[in-house]
Amino acid sequence: MTVNGLWSVLESSKCGKRVGAAELQSKTLAIDLSIWICEGLKSSTLVKYHESPALYLVFSRVIALLKLGVTPVVCVEGKKRTGGAAVSPMQRRPHEFSVACEECAKVLAYTGCQVIHAEYEAEALCALLSMKGLVDGVITNDGD
């Protein structure tokens, strides 16, 4: 369940801020991997030109972050769902989604990225890591 207009409200209340590349250097960021995987699997262009569109998108973005000096902590969606959590269109096709999650997690672990498998939702794990001060920020656009 996405909250319509959440990011506008957060921005106007100064709860978060947009940052540029220079501000990300030497930061540790938790990444909600499921969002990027869904974007990759839904992109008609990536699907047309890449055998594994989610892996291509995720790998490209993580490499760009590494080049900026960011330490990524990648959070992978768990198999369990919280009680009232909405199911995304990609998660209605669980095999395709879970195969992409595992493929991306494996490749990212080979690059030296820390990969954490959430028991439930990846964005909740990202938020917990941030609340505990274990990361400097979170990359997600999931607002439920």
Side-chain angles (χ1 to χ4, degrees), residues 7 10 54 80 94 107 111 119 134:
W7 301 115
L10 290 175
K80 297 178 182 178
V107 170
T111 68
E119 189 173 347
L134 299 171

Side-chain angles (χ1 to χ4, degrees), residues 31-122:
I31 300 168
D32 177 359
L33 186 64
S34 60
I35 297 300
W36 287 357
I37 287 174
C38 288
E39 288 176 10
L41 293 175
K42 289 194 278 183
S43 168
S44 58
T45 302
L46 291 178
V47 168
K48 183 177 178 180
Y49 293 107
H50 299 283
E51 183 177 327
S52 182
L55 179 60
Y56 176 82
L57 180 71
V58 167
F59 188 74
S60 299
R61 288 180 177 178
V62 168
I63 293 301
L65 289 171
L66 289 169
K67 287 180 179 179
L68 289 173
V70 170
T71 301
V73 176
V74 180
C75 298
V76 181
E77 193 85 0
K79 303 230 184 286
K80 297 178 182 178
R81 302 294 298 170
T82 56
V87 177
S88 76
M90 280 294 110
Q91 291 160 329
R92 289 188 193 112
R93 299 191 315 230
H95 179 71
E96 182 180 17
F97 180 78
S98 64
V99 166
C101 282
E102 291 309 313
E103 181 181 47
C104 290
K106 182 190 278 188
V107 170
L108 293 175
Y110 287 144
T111 68
C113 291
Q114 185 172 5
V115 177
I116 304 173
H117 291 266
E119 189 173 347
Y120 295 98
E121 297 185 29

